[in-house]
Amino acid sequence: MFRSDVLAVSGLDDRTSSHAVLERAQELMADAVGAERTFFSTSGSSLSVKSAMLSVAGPHEKLLVGRDAHKSVVSGLILSGVRPIWVDPQWDPDLHLAHPPAPEAFEAAFHDHPDAKGALVTSPTPYGTCTDLAALAEVCHARNKPLIVDEAWGAHLPFHPDLPTWAMDAGADVCVTSVHKMGSGLEQGSVFHLQGGLIAPEVLKAREDLLGTTSPSVLLYAALDGWRRQMIEHGRALYDDALALATRVRDRIDRIEGMRVHGREDFCGPGCAADMDPLQVIVDIAGLGTTGYRMADWIREHHRINLHLADHRRISAQLTHADDEETTGALVAAFQDVAEHAADLRPAPTVEVPSPRDLRLEQVVLPRDAFFGPAEQVPWEKAVGRITAEMLTPYPPGIPAALPGERLNSDVLRYLRSGVEAGMVIPDAADNRLNSVRVAIEQ
Ligand SMILES: Cc1ncc(COP(=O)(O)O)c(C=O)c1O
């Protein structure tokens, strides 16, 4: 590994990059998925999504953004000074879960903000649910505005027709994917794709250049290229197997007492998602009287299996083309075992989850202004009614519950405080225990 860790310029390629090694690999990737242009990134989709946003809007310009965006999108807003026009996700108040916003919600936001430069949606979400991207692309293109899709969880979608439609097929302008998530890149390996005439490739490239490292890892490039080749040669067959395996695994887990595997009947339909990825096995464990946090920790400790995400009432396993009967057998055995030990994990502290209405905070000032303006650290009870100067993000899945410039309410603070007591992790807060919160000093 160390021997192969050469420089990109004057290493992988010559001093002037005359062999166009990277360009060629990117062209092959674009060809493999049917995009016009593809760019590799070695800083995860966290960088790719910022590059995409900044190629559409600049300081003080408006961008429509689904409020269930990942924290890397919010970082992009903070760094750029772009004004977010938040579009509400589709909340399922019973399951306490958000699906991506519907195209109609973006249409309404464009109606109210015709000067918005474009739209950004996250689809699939970390829970695997998708919006109707084709309809959303039409909404945007009817106004000649570009659509950015954060498809970090969808690297595999282009390679099998039974998976949800991937963003480029649906007509999106830019789409960002993390190959290290659902594909088989090394950590941080991400690609973003471009098509159509609404975003100039040189603008997108310049934004990537602004943010990217000058020392990209060629190991990451090689892994992206290797994944592309594996998918072109074997993708269809690998996902035939993975999808069949997922059907069997979902069924076996669903039969474990106290566990419910969410399927299309729970997630898809009017007012919910348009589609879902069956490889994300989302399991409701509310019936077992404990939290997903406790279960995930117990499974790691007793079975050496790390789960994808855990929240106050769910655990989830992410299957990929690399899974087989052995890995999924171990997974099902671990789930069976933890269900039998649920009594040991009770009583679990209750997380005070607010209603969707109370969860939605008002954006009072630009994220950038609140983040960089004067701020102070106050006890959490005194933060009620104040404007937060920091992101407060339960991780995973990494969607900020509060972000700079939003006015905090007691429901959100109680949710996060009770969440921390129950095992929720909030890595971006200055005080991770949330005994205190960083808030803006209003002039
Ligand atoms: C929806 C979404 N977008 C972007 C990212 C950032 O991706 P990366 O970890 O590749 O930087 C994540 C990471 O979890 C994500 O869930």
Side-chain angles (χ1 to χ4, degrees):
M1 188 187 76
F2 283 100
R3 241 201 314 252
S4 304
D5 187 25
V6 296
L7 295 178
V9 173
S10 299
L12 179 70
D13 209 327
D14 61 16
R15 186 180 61 80
T16 60
S17 301
S18 71
H19 299 286
V21 177
L22 176 61
E23 277 69 24
R24 180 82 186 117
Q26 292 179 151
E27 277 166 24
L28 286 168
M29 180 70 91
D31 183 55
V33 297
E36 283 168 19
R37 291 284 299 267
T38 294
F39 301 85
F40 286 3
S41 157
T42 61
S43 306
S45 292
S46 297
L47 180 135
S48 308
V49 81
K50 291 187 188 72
S51 310
M53 293 164 68
L54 301 195
S55 65
V56 170
H60 296 283
E61 290 179 336
K62 293 178 185 170
L63 183 67
L64 309 186
V65 186
R67 181 58 184 81
D68 57 341
H70 184 252
K71 59 178 283 156
S72 53
V73 171
V74 177
S75 311
L77 296 171
I78 292 172
L79 290 172
S80 64
V82 167
R83 179 180 298 280
I85 304 299
W86 295 116
V87 181
D88 282 332
Q90 309 200 78
W91 277 102
D92 184 326
D94 300 324
L95 296 181
H96 298 135
L97 187 93
H99 301 301
E104 295 76 27
F106 278 96
E107 171 66 49
F110 269 130
H111 181 267
D112 293 345
H113 300 274
D115 51 340
K117 295 288 178 184
L120 187 156
V121 72
T122 306
S123 179
T125 67
Y127 292 90
T129 61
C130 310
T131 191
D132 182 345
L133 287 178
L136 179 52
E138 270 179 36
V139 165
C140 294
H141 295 161
R143 295 170 190 262
N144 217 24
K145 304 287 167 90
L147 170 63
I148 302 166
V149 181
D150 180 350
E151 207 169 63
W153 291 101
H156 57 315
L157 301 185
F159 301 108
H160 200 284
D162 295 345
L163 288 165
T165 310
W166 90 289
M168 292 280 111
D169 277 354
D173 297 270
V174 185
C175 127
V176 168
T177 73
S178 294
V179 176
H180 69 89
K181 287 185 168 46
M182 294 301 286
S184 39
L186 297 175
E187 286 299 290
Q188 297 185 9
S190 164
V191 295
F192 49 107
H193 309 281
L194 172 68
Q195 67 182 6
L198 293 176
I199 300 173
E202 62 277 11
V203 170
L204 186 56
K205 190 162 181 353
R207 302 304 185 260
E208 193 277 335
D209 185 63
L210 180 75
L211 300 165
T213 174
T214 48
S215 317
S217 162
V218 301
L219 299 173
L220 268 73
Y221 284 161
L224 293 172
D225 196 43
W227 148 255
R228 184 266 314 157
R229 180 170 174 156
Q230 183 188 25
M231 284 300 106
I232 275 299
E233 291 183 349
H234 310 291
R236 176 67 196 246
L238 286 169
Y239 283 104
D240 277 343
D241 292 349
L243 287 166
L245 182 66
T247 305
R248 295 195 296 276
V249 171
R250 297 171 72 86
D251 183 53
R252 286 172 70 191
I253 297 173
D254 202 41
R255 278 191 270 128
I256 298 173
E257 207 174 326
M259 295 199 174
R260 173 169 174 80
V261 178
H262 287 302
R264 303 186 68 84
E265 62 287 2
D266 298 326
F267 282 173
C268 302
C272 295
D275 205 351
M276 60 166 277
D277 179 358
L279 298 181
Q280 299 286 8
V281 184
I282 313 291
V283 186
D284 196 319
I285 48 95
L288 291 170
T290 186
T291 59
Y293 309 119
R294 286 200 166 178
M295 283 209 156
D297 293 347
W298 193 93
I299 289 173
R300 179 181 155 98
E301 187 187 340
H302 295 271
H303 288 265
R304 299 169 57 83
I305 292 176
N306 291 301
L307 295 182
H308 168 204
L309 54 81
D311 66 21
H312 63 284
R313 61 179 284 181
R314 277 170 286 262
I315 49 178
S316 93
Q318 171 191 318
L319 303 179
T320 73
H321 62 287
D323 282 299
D324 55 21
E325 292 295 344
E326 194 184 330
T327 62
T328 53
L331 178 75
V332 174
F335 278 17
Q336 182 73 53
D337 199 18
V338 76
E340 283 161 18
H341 285 84
D344 304 346
L345 305 176
R346 292 194 288 256
T350 311
V351 183
E352 297 173 37
V353 185
S355 70
R357 195 170 47 92
D358 296 325
L359 204 49
R360 189 64 169 78
L361 303 175
E362 184 196 359
Q363 185 82 49
V364 190
V365 296
L366 278 189
R368 178 172 71 177
D369 294 347
F371 186 85
F372 290 110
E376 61 181 336
Q377 197 77 21
V378 298
W380 75 269
E381 298 90 340
K382 295 222 156 97
V384 176
R386 301 283 303 265
I387 295 173
T388 175
E390 62 180 350
M391 265 194 264
L392 302 173
T393 312
Y395 215 100
I399 300 161
L403 56 89
E406 287 184 335
R407 197 177 294 287
L408 293 164
N409 65 19
S410 61
D411 303 271
V412 166
L413 285 164
R414 279 180 199 288
Y415 160 56
L416 295 171
R417 280 283 312 138
S418 58
V420 167
E421 292 305 325
M424 177 192 284
V425 180
I426 307 182
D428 44 16
D431 172 359
N432 295 149
R433 300 290 309 166
L434 229 66
N435 292 318
S436 61
V437 181
R438 190 170 170 78
V439 293
I441 300 173
E442 291 176 63
Q443 308 283 323

